Amino acid sequence: MNGPIAQELRQRLTDAFAPTQLQIINDTAQHRGHAGDDGSGESHFTVEIESAAFAGVSRLQRQRMVNAALGDLPGQRIHALAIRARAPDED
């Protein structure tokens, strides 16, 4: 299922990083009934992104770059976001 928040995640990350790989995983079902589950079905996500923009950039800076690109989504409309960001040719 690809709801409106997942679509917005995809669009913002695509616009910011032109990723070579991008996977948006909705983890909300695993957290049903926990804190932060607002019943929308889109409160917890994992983002796996590969982009040349991350080459030579530390893990912490990559996290900051992704969060900056997502703007108000984390913390406002998304309760939890796991980020796995890598440059091409990294394992």
Side-chain angles (χ1 to χ4, degrees), residues 9-89:
L9 280 168
R10 181 173 305 284
Q11 188 63 54
R12 288 188 188 195
L13 293 171
T14 299
D15 291 348
F17 301 110
T20 52
Q21 293 184 12
L22 177 60
Q23 187 170 11
I24 309 291
I25 304 161
N26 186 337
D27 299 319
T28 304
Q30 298 170 351
H31 301 277
R32 192 162 284 127
H34 297 174
D37 178 17
D38 61 5
S40 70
E42 289 191 289
S43 59
H44 296 69
F45 288 92
T46 297
V47 168
E48 296 180 358
I49 183 169
E50 177 183 283
S51 172
F54 300 129
V57 177
S58 73
R59 181 176 172 222
L60 177 60
Q61 189 58 34
R62 292 173 186 190
Q63 303 278 319
R64 289 178 177 158
M65 291 167 66
V66 169
N67 280 317
L70 296 178
D72 68 338
L73 287 174
Q76 293 292 321
R77 296 173 17 206
I78 296 174
H79 175 72
L81 179 66
I83 301 168
R84 297 183 192 122
R86 66 183 182 281
D89 301 323

